[in-house]
């Protein structure tokens, strides 16, 4: 099993450009998450999904959109990138909610630099 | 988000013991996770506590006191490979997205 994979690993964007980050998991997990990690601030939840076809806002959703058309994939979109979106983006998945089933498994991350 | 506090950095010697504290304030506490994150890598699951007491897993142990809003991660017989950031994450049922992470504690192990 590959676990959680993310593409791309690294990307440089100019302000105003758009891009999509792809997350895939092969563990048949129901829940998927997108986080950003910035120095000194820890992981902050952008959006999450509790199942195929559903999405919900997290702590810092502005400037991002997501889609979960297939259970194994969770896409994060930036419509018009801003320098404030320079960060490391992590995708995660969990079996479900509650107890140890909520243990999240993380992808390797995507480093995004917006100039 | 939640108010989750951890020390920013800690340094210890190889073979020693280090205790990383985590305090939190939440109205619907329902579990606490510890994750390890090596520089440039993804966080990986270490431990989970939902009841008061100590959970032991080899060289790593995690303790929880719900009444005090307090947890610690104990790393024994430190090895160089334990140099990493340790993240405390709290599950709160009053929060729609349930799990909030602390900023992490960077542990440096010296020879």
């Amino acid at each position: 099993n590959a676990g959680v994979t993310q593409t791309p690993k690294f990307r440089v964007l100019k302000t105003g450009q758009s891009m999509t980050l792809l997350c895939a998991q092969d563990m048949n997990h129901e829940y998927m998450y997108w986080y950003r990690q910035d120095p000194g601030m820890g992981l902050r939840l952008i959006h999450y999904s509790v199942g195929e076809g559903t999405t919900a806002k997290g702590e810092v959703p502005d400037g991002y959109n997501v889609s979960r058309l297939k259970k194994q994939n969770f896409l994060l979109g930036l419509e018009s990138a801003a320098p404030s979106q320079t960060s490391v983006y992590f995708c995660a998945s969990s079996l479900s909610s509650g107890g140890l089933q909520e243990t999240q498994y993380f992808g390797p991350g995507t480093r995004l630099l917006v100039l | 988000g939640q108010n989750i506090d951890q020390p920013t950095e800690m340094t210890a010697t190889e073979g020693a013991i280090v205790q990383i504290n985590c305090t939190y304030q939440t109205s619907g506490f329902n579990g606490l996770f510890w994750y390890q994150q090596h520089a440039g890598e993804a966080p990986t699951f270490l431990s989970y506590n939902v009841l008061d007491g100590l959970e032991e897993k080899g060289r790593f142990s995690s303790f929880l006191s719900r009444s005090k809003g307090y947890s610690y991660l104990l790393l024994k017989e430190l090895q160089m490979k334990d140099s990493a950031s340790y993240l405390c994450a709290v599950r709160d049922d009053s929060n729609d997205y349930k799990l909030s992470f602390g900023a992490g504690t960077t542990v440096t192990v010296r020879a």
Side-chain angles (χ1 to χ4, degrees), chain A residues 38-68:
Chain A
D38 302 292
M41 301 191 73
L43 287 161
R44 292 183 293 168
L45 185 66
I46 304 170
H47 286 280
Y48 66 103
S49 167
V50 300
E52 181 179 321
T54 74
T55 63
K57 294 180 180 180
E59 184 183 358
V60 289
D62 294 342
Y64 305 95
N65 57 76
V66 288
S67 64
R68 184 123 180 249

Side-chain angles (χ1 to χ4, degrees), chain A residues 36-38 64 83-89 110-113:
Chain A
R36 59 178 290 173
Q37 188 173 40
D38 302 292
Y64 305 95
S84 61
Q85 293 178 304
T86 293
S87 188
V88 180
Y89 292 85
T110 296
R111 295 181 181 277
L112 177 65
L113 174 62

